[in-house]
Amino acid sequence: MENAQPPLLPPTAQRRRHAVTLKLLFIALLVLVLQLPLALINGLRQERSGNREAAHARRAADVQWTETDPVPAYSPARAAAEGYRMVERSLKHSVLVLTLVFAAFFLFETLAGLRLHAVHYGLVGAALCLFYLALLALGEVLSPGSAYIGAAVASSLLIVGYSISILHSYARAGSIAALLAAEHSVLYVVLRMEDFALLAGTTALFVVLAAVMFFTRNVDWFAQEAGKTEARA
């Protein structure tokens, strides 16, 4: 008795399946490509940090300090050094930040039947990269906390304002705003909790993965109609 051949997917379903796969591959590639400008930002951080340390050393050599002189608890040089360290540590989480934001747009595109172009993802990624550049620039003139808040607000407003147009909904843009607020808040806590950074980051990853599993549990990834999803019974 001949073995029964598995049923073939209709052409529309096959195209839909290939489109989803290609979009996921594109997002992964985009995350990797965006590491190039982030590497340039990190190089700029190292250069400016080295220049500032050299200038501080020259000024310290011109001033004769004694052991009885009080050491200032706060100084612009110390604040800038803390800002540089915050930029360095935040860049280590850039892959996670980019992936989560792109995943949110991909889920909206899949669940709501929207069509987002590669340019849309690229511009959102550019806005996310500007967060790190703004954090570096503001960290030289503000305290690390104020610099982080300013950079996060500026980048988030840029992305949310753009999301209103490409997602065609204030509610969806509000969801992106909530995601960015939660993401930057968790990242700030992780950056400040040096002793428990790994634990906090791992916990956040579990929460994010659980949320993605929950919201996509009924998605039919083999939906036959392009741009639509069907709930399993």
Side-chain angles (χ1 to χ4, degrees):
M1 183 176 180
E2 296 182 357
N3 295 330
Q5 296 294 329
L8 298 177
L9 291 175
T12 304
Q14 292 180 0
R15 288 195 298 269
R16 176 61 179 169
R17 180 180 181 181
H18 294 160
V20 171
T21 302
L22 290 176
K23 182 57 68 70
L24 289 174
L25 291 176
F26 165 76
I27 291 175
L29 179 62
L30 181 60
V31 171
L32 294 178
V33 170
L34 289 176
Q35 296 308 304
L36 177 59
L38 293 179
L40 295 177
I41 293 175
N42 189 40
L44 180 62
R45 176 198 63 81
Q46 294 175 344
E47 178 183 355
R48 297 188 67 83
S49 177
N51 293 339
R52 186 175 289 269
E53 289 179 359
H56 180 68
R58 288 193 298 268
R59 287 195 300 268
D62 296 336
V63 179
Q64 299 297 327
W65 293 93
T66 64
E67 295 182 356
T68 58
D69 291 333
V71 178
Y74 176 84
S75 65
R78 178 175 297 182
E82 293 179 359
Y84 291 137
R85 285 195 296 270
M86 176 171 285
V87 174
E88 179 184 11
R89 297 186 62 196
S90 62
L91 283 171
K92 295 179 180 179
H93 300 82
S94 61
V95 173
L96 177 60
V97 172
L98 293 170
T99 302
L100 290 179
V101 175
F102 288 153
F105 280 93
F106 173 76
L107 289 178
F108 276 125
E109 185 177 4
T110 303
L111 299 177
L114 301 175
R115 295 187 62 185
L116 298 180
H117 196 271
V119 175
H120 295 146
Y121 284 93
L123 291 176
V124 171
L128 290 172
C129 291
L130 284 180
F131 160 73
Y132 299 97
L133 183 60
L135 180 60
L136 175 61
L138 293 176
E140 295 184 342
V141 296
L142 300 175
S143 64
S146 300
Y148 187 92
I149 294 175
V153 170
S155 176
S156 299
L157 288 177
L158 193 61
I159 295 174
V160 172
Y162 188 57
S163 300
I164 295 175
S165 298
I166 65 176
L167 297 180
H168 309 293
S169 171
Y170 286 98
R172 295 167 188 159
S175 300
I176 295 295
L179 171 65
L180 291 172
E183 191 174 55
H184 285 302
S185 299
V186 172
L187 179 59
Y188 183 77
V189 172
V190 171
L191 294 177
R192 304 301 292 182
M193 296 173 56
E194 296 185 3
D195 295 335
F196 300 96
L198 181 59
L199 177 60
T202 303
T203 303
L205 285 176
F206 271 102
V207 173
V208 170
L209 182 58
V212 172
M213 289 180 173
F214 176 79
F215 287 111
T216 61
R217 69 191 187 283
N218 293 325
V219 174
D220 183 5
W221 298 104
F222 300 101
Q224 296 184 6
E225 296 182 7
K228 296 182 180 180
T229 57
E230 299 176 355
R232 294 189 181 94

